[in-house]
Every structure is written in C-alpha cells, then in structure tokens.
Amino acid sequence: MYLLGIESSCDESSASIVKDGKEILSNVIFSQVQDHERFQGVVPEIASRLHLEKINGIIDEAFSQANLNFTDIDAVAVVYKPGLIGSLLVGLATAKSFAYCYDIPIIPVNHIEAHLYAPHIEHEIPFPNIGLVVSGGHTLIMLSKSHTNHEIIGSTVDDAVGECFDKVAKHYELGYPGGPVIDRLSKAGDDDAYRFPRAKFKKGNAFNFSYSGLKTAVIHQTEKFKVKNDSNSMEDLLASFQKSAMETLLEVCKEALNQYELKDIVISGGVACNSYLRETFTKEKDLNAFFPSPMLSTDNGAMVAGLGYHLYREGIVADLSLNAHSKIIKQGRPV
Ligand code: KG4
Ligand code: ZN
C-alpha cells in the first residue's frame, strides 16, 4: 500500500511516499529556517505563505523521486494537529484536494504521534514503551501501548526544551535555531564549569519538566552557578547548560521506565538530534534508547505517511470536513 504523507505544521514543508508504513520511497523536505533566521524565530504568517508557495513542487518532487504516478497512491496522510494553524491549513487543503481528485481516503495524523512513529521506521521496537518527544514546541513523555495508543504521563509546565535552547541562543546572539549551534559549540566546552539547576517535581507530578528556571539561570544568573571560577568561555557556559537540560530529561525518563517496569524508550523530535542527548541515553545500561536518524527526527513527511498506514489499517479515516487544530487535545484522540 502506497501512502503520500504531507507535513506543514511549522516551518518545514514536506511530502513523502512510504510503502506499507516502512519503506521510504521519497522524503522531500523544504526547511524555511533561512527565511525565519533574521527574526530569531518562526513568523507564522511567513510560514504559511511559504508552505503555499512550495507544497505543490515538493509533492511533484516526491513523486518523481519515488518514480510513481499520482494514481498509484492508495491514501493520503496529513498532519492536522498540533501546530501553527495557518501552516496546518495549507497541508490539509492540499491533502483534501489530492484525496478528492483521486477518490482516495484522507488519514488524519497527529504530529506528536508521527514523531513517536519515526524511530519505528528504522528499528523493531516492542510495545509497551516510553516515548519522549522533544522539540521546539513540546516536551512530552508518554506511555505507548501501540502506534496509535499513547497516554501522556508528563510534560513541560513552561518552556519546551528546544525552545529553551533557541532562547538561550537568541540571548547570546548565536543564531537560529539554537539547538544545533549549542550542540556544536558545547563540544569544545567544559560541562562541569557551571552547575545549573535541574527542576524536579514531587511524586504525582514526577514526570513533568520545567525549563524556564534553567533558561533564566543561563541568561541572567551565570555567576551564581559558576563552579570553576577561572572559566569564562561561552563554550563552557553552553556545555554546562546542555548537560543540565539533558540530564533532566534522562532522570525523568529513568523514573518513568522504572515506575512502568519498562526498558525501551523511543526519543524523537528536533532535540533528539542532540549529540550529548544521544550519547547520554545510549551509555545507560538499564535502558534501550531508540532514536530516528537525524532526517527523521525533525519534521518530515515520512513519519506521517508511515503512521498513516497503521491508522488506515485501524479504520481511522477522515472526510473532507477534517479541520486543523493548533493544540494537541481539542478533538479526537489526545495524542
Ligand atoms: O521537531 P522540530 O524540527 O520542530 C518542532 O516541531 O518544533 O524541532 C525543532 C527544535 C528547535 O528548537 C531546535 O533548536 C531543536 O529542535 N534542535 C536541537 C538540535 N537540533 C534541533 N536541539 C538541541 N540539539 C540539537 N542538535
Ligand atoms: Zn515536530
């Protein structure tokens, strides 16, 4: 079964063709990062206009790379939530037109659920498992029972971890998005130069995260958290920040794995590209961490088409009245 997957929830326009949920025939991604860079963040109006400009060409390219015709597609999967509403609407309208023209089903895909699916394209991962989605907009921890059954067990109470990287980078004028720059610069730094705070919640909320305190500390209170007085480099500051941010993720995930007596953890979303995060989780003896390759970690259509296959098999199909939603929980299944 061939599915076309369309993703346009934020600042990446992507179209992909995937066979039977696993075999990627094409995965074309157009990133708008350069267009938002000078604003140090995504400008929603610019994002939706660029999606509109690019989406048809991206779809054509996905078909050309897969060497297929429009009539070969069995269903079109599209992200309808959560995300920037104007951006989502472009992908959704495109998917509806395609489905209408070729008389094929539309599969409604939740962006978060698609991120969780991404590592399954490349690995065999047993269920149940713990899922961690870390991106510019989300920091969510989930108990996953199947590709389509996830329960949110914790989330950030303020900033998302990727947002925290972006804001720290913005403050120090390091460029946008902040994650990749901080990851790169941190390699030359001493991550013990500062001991930044690690937010911890009490029992009952033990799987929640908070990143605004860390952000404030790294931006406004660096002297207070300095451990090595002779350390003045930006690299040391960033490496120490990155360590604190990532160790918090590890601690909470270990607690969740422990409580649910599980060993397998799926980590996805843009921040899953972080090299320190990958190393830290991979080194841990008592858990098996599964990451998608970097191209499947950030927003892409392959994770949408891949998950769409499983949703379709479970009879989860939409009609032309499908609408976009900016939030995770608004309509339909929570995740
Ligand atoms: O999943 P994604 O592409 O888009 C959203 O849905 O948000 O994630 C983008 C986020 C940005 O905040 C970016 O700074 C962060 O992922 N990111 C990273 C790295 N690469 C991207 N954060 C830390 N380390 C990285 N290597
Ligand atoms: Zn995303």
Side-chain angles (χ1 to χ4, degrees), residues 300-328:
N300 68 88
M303 66 185 189
V304 179
L307 175 63
Y309 171 75
H310 296 273
L311 292 166
Y312 180 76
R313 282 173 39 134
E314 289 185 22
I316 300 169
V317 170
D319 60 28
L320 293 175
S321 69
L322 179 67
N323 209 346
H325 299 281
S326 57
K327 299 259 185 299
I328 304 180

Short mmCIF file of all heavy atoms in Angstrom, two decimals, residues 300-328:
data_model
loop_
_atom_site.label_atom_id
_atom_site.label_comp_id
_atom_site.label_asym_id
_atom_site.label_seq_id
_atom_site.Cartn_x
_atom_site.Cartn_y
_atom_site.Cartn_z
N ASN A 300 9.09 15.86 9.16
CA ASN A 300 9.21 15.24 7.83
C ASN A 300 7.93 14.49 7.48
O ASN A 300 7.14 14.11 8.35
CB ASN A 300 10.40 14.27 7.83
CG ASN A 300 10.17 13.06 8.71
OD1 ASN A 300 9.62 12.06 8.26
ND2 ASN A 300 10.53 13.15 10.00
N GLY A 301 7.73 14.27 6.19
CA GLY A 301 6.52 13.61 5.72
C GLY A 301 6.54 12.10 5.86
O GLY A 301 5.48 11.46 5.92
N ALA A 302 7.75 11.51 5.95
CA ALA A 302 7.83 10.04 6.02
C ALA A 302 7.18 9.50 7.30
O ALA A 302 6.50 8.48 7.28
CB ALA A 302 9.28 9.60 5.93
N MET A 303 7.40 10.21 8.41
CA MET A 303 6.79 9.75 9.67
C MET A 303 5.26 9.86 9.59
O MET A 303 4.54 9.09 10.24
CB MET A 303 7.36 10.52 10.88
CG MET A 303 7.02 12.00 10.90
SD MET A 303 7.85 12.83 12.29
CE MET A 303 7.08 14.46 12.24
N VAL A 304 4.79 10.77 8.77
CA VAL A 304 3.34 10.98 8.62
C VAL A 304 2.74 9.85 7.76
O VAL A 304 1.74 9.22 8.13
CB VAL A 304 3.06 12.37 7.98
CG1 VAL A 304 1.58 12.60 7.79
CG2 VAL A 304 3.68 13.47 8.84
N ALA A 305 3.39 9.58 6.62
CA ALA A 305 2.91 8.51 5.75
C ALA A 305 3.05 7.15 6.45
O ALA A 305 2.19 6.28 6.31
CB ALA A 305 3.71 8.52 4.45
N GLY A 306 4.14 6.98 7.22
CA GLY A 306 4.38 5.71 7.92
C GLY A 306 3.30 5.43 8.94
O GLY A 306 2.70 4.34 8.97
N LEU A 307 3.02 6.41 9.77
CA LEU A 307 1.98 6.22 10.78
C LEU A 307 0.61 6.11 10.11
O LEU A 307 -0.25 5.32 10.56
CB LEU A 307 1.98 7.39 11.78
CG LEU A 307 0.86 7.35 12.81
CD1 LEU A 307 0.99 6.12 13.71
CD2 LEU A 307 0.85 8.61 13.67
N GLY A 308 0.41 6.86 9.03
CA GLY A 308 -0.87 6.83 8.31
C GLY A 308 -1.26 5.41 7.92
O GLY A 308 -2.45 5.04 7.98
N TYR A 309 -0.29 4.61 7.57
CA TYR A 309 -0.56 3.21 7.18
C TYR A 309 -1.23 2.45 8.34
O TYR A 309 -2.21 1.74 8.14
CB TYR A 309 0.78 2.56 6.80
CG TYR A 309 0.73 1.08 6.59
CD1 TYR A 309 0.17 0.53 5.44
CD2 TYR A 309 1.28 0.21 7.54
CE1 TYR A 309 0.13 -0.84 5.25
CE2 TYR A 309 1.25 -1.16 7.36
CZ TYR A 309 0.68 -1.68 6.21
OH TYR A 309 0.64 -3.04 6.03
N HIS A 310 -0.71 2.65 9.55
CA HIS A 310 -1.27 1.93 10.72
C HIS A 310 -2.65 2.48 11.08
O HIS A 310 -3.54 1.73 11.48
CB HIS A 310 -0.31 2.01 11.91
CG HIS A 310 0.98 1.31 11.63
ND1 HIS A 310 1.15 -0.04 11.87
CD2 HIS A 310 2.14 1.73 11.09
CE1 HIS A 310 2.35 -0.40 11.49
NE2 HIS A 310 2.98 0.65 11.02
N LEU A 311 -2.81 3.79 10.98
CA LEU A 311 -4.12 4.39 11.26
C LEU A 311 -5.15 3.85 10.27
O LEU A 311 -6.27 3.48 10.64
CB LEU A 311 -4.04 5.92 11.17
CG LEU A 311 -3.20 6.61 12.25
CD1 LEU A 311 -2.90 8.06 11.87
CD2 LEU A 311 -3.92 6.58 13.60
N TYR A 312 -4.76 3.76 9.02
CA TYR A 312 -5.67 3.28 7.98
C TYR A 312 -6.10 1.85 8.27
O TYR A 312 -7.27 1.49 8.17
CB TYR A 312 -4.98 3.36 6.61
CG TYR A 312 -5.86 2.87 5.49
CD1 TYR A 312 -6.90 3.66 5.00
CD2 TYR A 312 -5.67 1.60 4.93
CE1 TYR A 312 -7.72 3.21 3.99
CE2 TYR A 312 -6.49 1.14 3.91
CZ TYR A 312 -7.52 1.95 3.45
OH TYR A 312 -8.33 1.49 2.45
N ARG A 313 -5.13 1.04 8.67
CA ARG A 313 -5.45 -0.37 8.97
C ARG A 313 -6.39 -0.50 10.16
O ARG A 313 -7.10 -1.48 10.31
CB ARG A 313 -4.16 -1.16 9.22
CG ARG A 313 -3.51 -1.48 7.88
CD ARG A 313 -2.16 -2.09 8.01
NE ARG A 313 -2.06 -3.03 9.10
CZ ARG A 313 -1.50 -4.22 9.02
NH1 ARG A 313 -1.04 -4.65 7.90
NH2 ARG A 313 -1.39 -4.98 10.08
N GLU A 314 -6.38 0.52 11.02
CA GLU A 314 -7.30 0.51 12.16
C GLU A 314 -8.61 1.22 11.84
O GLU A 314 -9.44 1.45 12.72
CB GLU A 314 -6.64 1.17 13.38
CG GLU A 314 -5.53 0.29 13.95
CD GLU A 314 -4.95 0.85 15.23
OE1 GLU A 314 -5.62 1.64 15.90
OE2 GLU A 314 -3.81 0.48 15.54
N GLY A 315 -8.78 1.60 10.61
CA GLY A 315 -10.03 2.24 10.17
C GLY A 315 -10.12 3.70 10.54
O GLY A 315 -11.22 4.28 10.53
N ILE A 316 -9.00 4.33 10.91
CA ILE A 316 -9.04 5.75 11.27
C ILE A 316 -8.86 6.59 10.00
O ILE A 316 -7.76 6.77 9.49
CB ILE A 316 -7.99 6.08 12.35
CG1 ILE A 316 -8.28 5.24 13.59
CG2 ILE A 316 -7.98 7.58 12.68
CD1 ILE A 316 -7.21 5.26 14.64
N VAL A 317 -9.99 7.03 9.48
CA VAL A 317 -10.01 7.74 8.20
C VAL A 317 -10.89 8.98 8.39
O VAL A 317 -11.86 8.94 9.13
CB VAL A 317 -10.62 6.80 7.12
CG1 VAL A 317 -10.90 7.55 5.84
CG2 VAL A 317 -9.68 5.63 6.85
N ALA A 318 -10.52 10.08 7.74
CA ALA A 318 -11.34 11.31 7.87
C ALA A 318 -12.09 11.58 6.57
O ALA A 318 -11.91 10.86 5.58
CB ALA A 318 -10.42 12.48 8.17
N ASP A 319 -12.92 12.60 6.58
CA ASP A 319 -13.55 13.01 5.32
C ASP A 319 -13.18 14.48 5.05
O ASP A 319 -12.35 15.06 5.76
CB ASP A 319 -15.06 12.77 5.34
CG ASP A 319 -15.74 13.55 6.45
OD1 ASP A 319 -15.21 14.61 6.84
OD2 ASP A 319 -16.79 13.10 6.96
N LEU A 320 -13.82 15.07 4.08
CA LEU A 320 -13.42 16.42 3.67
C LEU A 320 -13.76 17.49 4.70
O LEU A 320 -13.36 18.65 4.57
CB LEU A 320 -14.05 16.77 2.31
CG LEU A 320 -13.53 15.94 1.13
CD1 LEU A 320 -14.31 16.26 -0.13
CD2 LEU A 320 -12.05 16.17 0.90
N SER A 321 -14.48 17.10 5.77
CA SER A 321 -14.78 18.09 6.81
C SER A 321 -13.65 18.20 7.84
O SER A 321 -13.72 19.02 8.76
CB SER A 321 -16.10 17.73 7.53
OG SER A 321 -15.90 16.56 8.29
N LEU A 322 -12.60 17.40 7.69
CA LEU A 322 -11.48 17.44 8.65
C LEU A 322 -10.93 18.87 8.76
O LEU A 322 -10.67 19.51 7.75
CB LEU A 322 -10.37 16.49 8.18
CG LEU A 322 -9.11 16.43 9.05
CD1 LEU A 322 -9.42 15.80 10.41
CD2 LEU A 322 -8.00 15.62 8.35
N ASN A 323 -10.76 19.33 10.01
CA ASN A 323 -10.25 20.69 10.23
C ASN A 323 -8.91 20.65 10.95
O ASN A 323 -8.56 19.64 11.55
CB ASN A 323 -11.28 21.49 11.02
CG ASN A 323 -11.20 22.97 10.70
OD1 ASN A 323 -10.23 23.44 10.08
ND2 ASN A 323 -12.20 23.72 11.10
N ALA A 324 -8.20 21.74 10.92
CA ALA A 324 -6.91 21.83 11.61
C ALA A 324 -7.11 22.35 13.03
O ALA A 324 -8.04 23.11 13.29
CB ALA A 324 -5.99 22.78 10.84
N HIS A 325 -6.22 21.92 13.96
CA HIS A 325 -6.27 22.39 15.35
C HIS A 325 -4.86 22.73 15.80
O HIS A 325 -3.95 21.96 15.56
CB HIS A 325 -6.86 21.30 16.26
CG HIS A 325 -8.27 20.95 15.88
ND1 HIS A 325 -9.34 21.72 16.22
CD2 HIS A 325 -8.74 19.92 15.14
CE1 HIS A 325 -10.44 21.19 15.72
NE2 HIS A 325 -10.11 20.10 15.05
N SER A 326 -4.73 23.85 16.51
CA SER A 326 -3.39 24.24 16.93
C SER A 326 -2.92 23.44 18.14
O SER A 326 -1.73 23.25 18.34
CB SER A 326 -3.35 25.73 17.23
OG SER A 326 -4.31 26.03 18.21
N LYS A 327 -3.84 22.93 18.95
CA LYS A 327 -3.47 22.25 20.21
C LYS A 327 -3.53 20.72 20.05
O LYS A 327 -4.23 20.22 19.17
CB LYS A 327 -4.43 22.65 21.32
CG LYS A 327 -4.42 24.14 21.62
CD LYS A 327 -3.59 24.41 22.85
CE LYS A 327 -3.61 25.83 23.30
NZ LYS A 327 -3.10 26.83 22.38
N ILE A 328 -2.87 20.02 20.96
CA ILE A 328 -2.88 18.55 20.90
C ILE A 328 -4.27 18.02 21.21
O ILE A 328 -4.79 17.16 20.53
CB ILE A 328 -1.95 17.92 21.97
CG1 ILE A 328 -0.54 18.43 21.85
CG2 ILE A 328 -1.96 16.41 21.85
CD1 ILE A 328 0.37 17.83 22.89
#
